[in-house]
Amino acid sequence: MPAQIIDGNALAKKIRLEIAAKTAILTAKGVKPGLAVLLVGEDPASQVYVRNKVKACEDVGMYSILERHPADLSEKALLARINELNHDKNIHGILVQLPLPKHIDSHRVIEAIAPEKDVDGFHVANAGALMIGAPLFRPCTPYGCMKMLESIDYPIRGARAVVIGASNIVGKPMAMLLLQAGATVTICNSKTKDLTAHTKEADILVVATGKPKMITASMVKSGAVVIDVGINRLPDGKLCGDVDFDEVKYVASAITPVPGGVGPMTITMLLLNTLEAAERVKA
Ligand SMILES: Nc1nc2c(c(=O)[nH]1)N[C@@H](CN(C=O)c1ccc(C(=O)N[C@@H](CCC(=O)O)C(=O)O)cc1)CN2
């Protein structure tokens, strides 16, 4: 029997309704949650993502600004703009879309965002807080993955979880969230030997490799829950994940599709983090 499909669009819609209701209440109390989205350059995928983020804010009644800067914007100018937004009372969340052009040091830029406005959860203070189990903001993609696991009532405590990919924005925070939920976690990376030996052990398999359809049915334990973070565009223009969905769905008990899986949840968790940032200002 094919796996349960964890529908990210449907879950995102449900959570966005809850966010809209809470946003209306907070706005009535005099605090309208506000997000600033900064894009540097013209990366086509990034342009779509930032548009979707701002549209999502409008849909739930949040205030948002989208700033598009030219690719040759200096790092100094970007840091200065972030500093202004750090002091802007109408802005509760600041997001700099990644990747940035090569001449800009992403680390320096992320560190310039006030931690209490870092709704991406990438600042070293927020990464550290997450590490010790006291997160201020959970990074949006891993947070969305956790919500998807919760949505199917999967018993994470005691489960064996394998995360493939050790990036600061997905793999590492994902592993921390799973660990804090009581899973036994392995993080694999591009140098891991005998990857299948690890993936075959996973009750929960989270894949963020950036390699289209890399995870095949023979690499997955029967009945596993498979969360696919990858978004790859194939030569025919279609999107696919890092998991070979069409074959793995016959081995897994639940699986996320691409598109319509983790992606929509990423933006929804951004809204949730922005709401929480504004609520903290009110409290
Ligand atoms: N500052 C940040 N930069 C980036 C992040 C991030 O969380 N913060 N993550 C990714 C890109 N990303 C959000 O910014 C993102 C990627 C994909 C989707 C999404 O909804 N994908 C759809 C498909 C969309 C399409 O047709 O292309 C899906 O999977 O259904 C949302 C957000 C890198 N940068």
Side-chain angles (χ1 to χ4, degrees):
M1 201 175 67
Q4 173 186 354
I5 310 300
I6 311 176
D7 183 342
N9 281 323
L11 183 59
K13 200 170 163 190
K14 180 170 166 271
I15 297 173
R16 287 184 198 197
L17 284 176
E18 294 162 9
I19 294 172
K22 288 185 180 163
T23 299
I25 293 169
L26 196 59
T27 304
K29 289 180 182 164
V31 181
K32 191 177 173 90
L35 175 71
V37 179
L38 276 60
L39 173 66
V40 185
E42 271 130 41
D43 178 75
S46 292
Q47 302 222 31
V48 174
Y49 300 147
V50 295
R51 255 201 321 271
N52 290 349
K53 287 174 187 189
V54 166
K55 163 89 170 51
C57 282
E58 283 165 11
D59 290 348
V60 297
M62 289 183 185
Y63 169 65
S64 62
I65 53 174
L66 169 55
E67 289 187 10
R68 290 188 176 87
H69 295 281
D72 62 356
L73 180 79
S74 71
E75 183 180 297
K76 197 172 163 205
L78 181 59
L79 295 177
R81 183 62 189 128
I82 290 171
N83 188 42
E84 284 171 5
L85 291 166
N86 282 341
H87 294 96
D88 186 333
K89 295 245 177 315
N90 295 318
I91 294 297
H92 305 95
I94 303 170
L95 178 145
V96 179
Q97 188 64 28
L98 301 177
L100 284 166
K102 288 203 168 37
H103 68 279
I104 298 180
D105 181 342
S106 309
H107 181 70
R108 207 174 287 149
V109 168
I110 290 166
E111 295 314 297
I113 300 172
E116 67 276 11
K117 293 193 179 188
D118 167 40
V119 282
D120 257 332
F122 296 164
H123 192 287
V124 71
N126 285 321
L130 176 67
M131 177 94 177
I132 63 163
L136 191 63
F137 297 111
R138 295 158 181 83
C140 303
T141 298
Y143 196 5
C145 295
M146 293 303 286
K147 290 275 182 195
M148 294 178 107
L149 288 171
E150 278 168 28
S151 77
I152 57 163
D153 283 328
Y154 191 84
I156 301 175
R157 187 166 298 279
R160 297 190 72 141
V162 174
V163 178
I164 314 182
S167 71
N168 288 334
I169 67 173
V170 179
K172 287 180 199 164
M174 185 74 228
M176 283 303 131
L177 291 173
L178 286 164
L179 185 67
Q180 280 152 23
T184 302
V185 185
T186 303
I187 310 179
C188 298
N189 58 50
S190 58
K191 294 177 191 68
T192 299
K193 287 185 186 143
D194 196 0
L195 186 63
T196 303
H198 294 280
T199 57
K200 272 283 201 188
E201 288 290 307
D203 302 310
I204 301 169
L205 182 60
V206 182
V207 188
T209 61
K211 296 193 181 124
K213 302 188 187 187
M214 180 194 162
I215 301 298
T216 55
S218 62
M219 299 172 79
V220 177
K221 179 178 171 178
S222 174
V225 175
V226 179
I227 308 282
D228 189 352
V229 179
I231 300 176
N232 309 288
R233 198 162 291 278
L234 296 171
D236 65 4
K238 288 195 184 129
L239 289 181
C240 78
D242 297 346
V243 174
D244 191 334
F245 181 87
D246 289 334
E247 54 174 68
V248 172
K249 72 178 178 198
Y250 292 108
V251 180
S253 63
I255 186 167
T256 62
V258 179
V262 173
M265 289 301 292
T266 296
I267 296 185
T268 304
M269 295 303 106
L270 172 68
L271 298 175
L272 191 55
N273 280 345
T274 304
L275 173 67
E276 286 173 7
E279 283 174 339
R280 281 186 205 119
V281 168
K282 176 71 188 151

